[in-house]
Amino acid sequence: MQIRELSIPDTYEITPRQHQDDRGLFFEFYRFDRLEEVVGHSLDLKQANTSVSRKGSVRGIHFADIPPSQAKYVTAPHGAVLDFVVDIRVGSPTFGQWDSVLLDDTDRRAIYVAEGVGHCFVALTDGATVSYLVTDVYNPTREHGINPLDEQIALEFPVPADELLLSPKDTDAPGLAEAAESGLLPSWDAARAFYASLDNK
């Protein structure tokens, strides 16, 4: 597999090598050792989630408190989504910026999102299925969101605005500036310290 760091620090695109014959195909969608080489530590996976979405559905921007937050390894086994990583770590050199990766059932890429980085995607097909391997169990008291339509972040959705489907939870979430002013966001220093603690284990 090929692993490429995105423009947001601590996020990576993973492209597997697919082996095809007359029976179909085979590929490794996750290798702890290859990811550990670039991340600096192995992932202590604790939960796996799956969502199925209609075309135009937006999920995110979501994140969890550090520590321990949740690192995510995300794939799309069926259909296609445009997956976004958003740097919401206050003090980061790329704070407020984002990058994206097309996840689909053709190239079968995955994306790694470190703890404290915002995550969002928009479904490009009906029945788009997204699977997440995560490093901590869901804890609603520590989970937060930022409005994915926030103009300061300005995510570029390849779906017409009138076709986007969002939950009230996401549309009611604060924008980036409001979240920062309220102290809701993780800091760059806290994130770096937490990553270093994982590297030393």
Side-chain angles (χ1 to χ4, degrees):
M1 59 178 54
Q2 296 180 333
I3 301 178
R4 177 179 70 91
E5 187 168 19
L6 300 175
S7 63
I8 302 304
D10 312 302
T11 65
Y12 296 86
E13 172 196 85
I14 300 95
T15 303
R17 178 178 297 177
Q18 301 184 57
H19 305 276
Q20 292 184 278
D21 59 24
D22 55 0
R23 300 168 298 170
L25 64 84
F26 172 87
F27 67 99
E28 297 174 343
F29 79 92
Y30 173 72
R31 277 279 300 265
F32 86 96
D33 54 340
R34 293 295 308 280
L35 194 62
E36 182 177 358
E37 290 174 6
V38 297
V39 174
H41 57 268
S42 61
L43 303 189
D44 182 14
L45 299 175
K46 295 185 177 179
Q47 185 171 318
N49 307 318
T50 297
S51 65
V52 181
S53 302
R54 292 172 53 190
K55 181 179 178 180
S57 295
V58 178
R59 297 181 186 265
I61 303 165
H62 298 151
F63 66 98
D65 292 335
I66 288 181
S69 190
Q70 275 187 339
K72 301 174 181 178
Y73 190 90
V74 186
T75 61
H78 178 73
V81 304
L82 186 62
D83 198 286
F84 298 92
V85 290
V86 184
D87 199 339
I88 58 169
R89 297 165 294 184
V90 176
S92 167
T94 56
F95 177 72
Q97 298 177 32
W98 57 269
D99 204 344
S100 63
V101 173
L102 175 65
L103 304 181
D104 61 22
D105 54 13
T106 301
D107 293 322
R108 305 181 193 278
R109 293 186 181 95
I111 190 168
Y112 170 77
V113 187
E115 296 89 345
V117 176
H119 178 249
C120 175
F121 70 80
V122 58
L124 305 181
T125 59
D126 283 325
T129 303
V130 174
S131 291
Y132 321 65
L133 304 176
V134 298
T135 57
D136 201 10
V137 297
Y138 175 69
N139 184 340
T141 65
R142 301 181 64 80
E143 297 282 336
H144 309 288
I146 295 171
N147 191 319
L149 303 181
D150 180 55
E151 294 181 357
Q152 181 179 352
I153 297 173
L155 295 180
E156 296 177 4
F157 297 107
V159 175
D162 61 354
E163 296 180 17
L164 296 177
L165 304 171
L166 292 90
S167 72
K169 175 182 175 182
D170 288 339
T171 56
D172 290 343
L176 184 68
E178 182 184 350
E181 291 170 3
S182 68
L184 188 65
L185 301 180
S187 74
W188 173 249
D189 289 343
R192 304 312 299 175
F194 183 68
Y195 305 154
S197 73
L198 296 175
D199 294 346
N200 293 329
K201 286 186 177 179

